[in-house]
Amino acid sequence: MPFKVPAQLDTARLRLRQFREQDWDSMAQYYGDAEINRFTSGKTLTRAEAWRSIACMIGHWQIHGYGPYALEHRETGKVIGVSGFWYPGGWPEPEIKWGLLREYWGQGYAGEAAQAVLRAGNQYLPDIHLISLIHHNNQASIKLALSLGARFEQEIDFWWDRFRIYRHRKDDCG
């Protein structure tokens, strides 16, 4: 399947690119951190589960023609997190997801990446109305969604707890 969005996006400090097997160590660190996963999966993942998550994100591109990007720090080349398009089976709607290794929190990287993803979504996926599905207690992600121009729509029982749907408007390109 041809990709519907660019396979790579560049920002001032980040290269958003497709995941590859070499990203396993960084993502094992990411998925192994309980604080990072407190509001996403609600649990940590083993190294083997982290590998399967990378494979899932790579496969997402093959199924949908879009997917999550590895966030590669342009200065160091290190993968520091994930952001991109996410619509696995059972998800309510296609969303913009984001997450960072803890040492990169509070430095604007998630917003920089999510803004690039939102612009790409508006340009290349005009018929898809993106949401952000956020745990009801995840104040940092709620704040980011609102800063991107998303509007709270509803709170739902999903997966293992209560989650909020924030809808991104098509004109919120930043």
Side-chain angles (χ1 to χ4, degrees):
M1 163 183 276
F3 296 144
K4 298 175 183 175
V5 298
Q8 179 175 306
L9 303 173
D10 291 305
T11 69
R13 300 179 295 167
L14 299 169
R15 175 163 291 116
L16 287 70
R17 59 159 174 81
Q18 292 184 339
F19 279 94
R20 47 188 182 238
E21 187 177 6
Q22 295 84 350
D23 301 327
W24 187 13
D25 285 336
S26 289
M27 293 312 290
Q29 179 185 353
Y30 174 90
Y31 286 117
D33 187 316
E35 184 63 19
I36 291 171
N37 292 284
R38 179 167 57 131
F39 296 127
T40 55
S41 64
K43 63 178 184 162
T44 60
L45 302 182
T46 65
R47 278 187 61 79
E49 290 169 327
W51 188 92
R52 286 191 289 280
S53 289
I54 291 170
C56 179
M57 291 187 281
I58 292 169
H60 192 287
W61 282 87
Q62 301 304 313
I63 292 167
H64 291 293
Y66 56 82
Y69 295 99
L71 302 183
E72 183 180 292
H73 194 281
R74 288 176 64 145
E75 271 187 32
T76 66
K78 179 178 175 139
V79 172
I80 66 169
V82 58
S83 185
F85 307 102
W86 190 234
Y87 191 35
W91 226 247
E93 295 181 56
E95 82 158 321
I96 298 174
K97 68 182 286 172
W98 54 77
L100 297 171
L101 290 170
R102 205 174 336 169
E103 61 262 36
Y104 296 93
W105 287 5
Q107 299 174 51
Y109 290 109
E112 186 175 324
Q115 188 73 284
V117 171
L118 181 59
R119 278 194 301 271
N122 284 329
Q123 181 175 354
Y124 297 101
L125 303 172
D127 297 330
I128 296 177
H129 297 276
L130 297 163
I131 65 166
S132 287
L133 183 65
I134 303 172
H135 187 275
H136 69 105
N137 287 331
N138 188 343
Q139 293 304 311
S141 282
I142 290 169
K143 182 179 175 183
L144 177 52
L146 292 172
S147 76
L148 293 169
R151 304 289 185 258
F152 172 75
E153 192 167 275
Q154 65 178 313
E155 190 168 284
I156 62 172
D157 288 319
F158 183 73
W159 208 1
W160 52 275
D161 208 347
R162 301 284 296 163
F163 285 78
R164 293 179 177 176
I165 293 176
Y166 288 84
R167 178 135 344 247
H168 297 277
R169 294 186 327 222
K170 279 300 187 179
D171 60 343
D172 290 335
C173 295

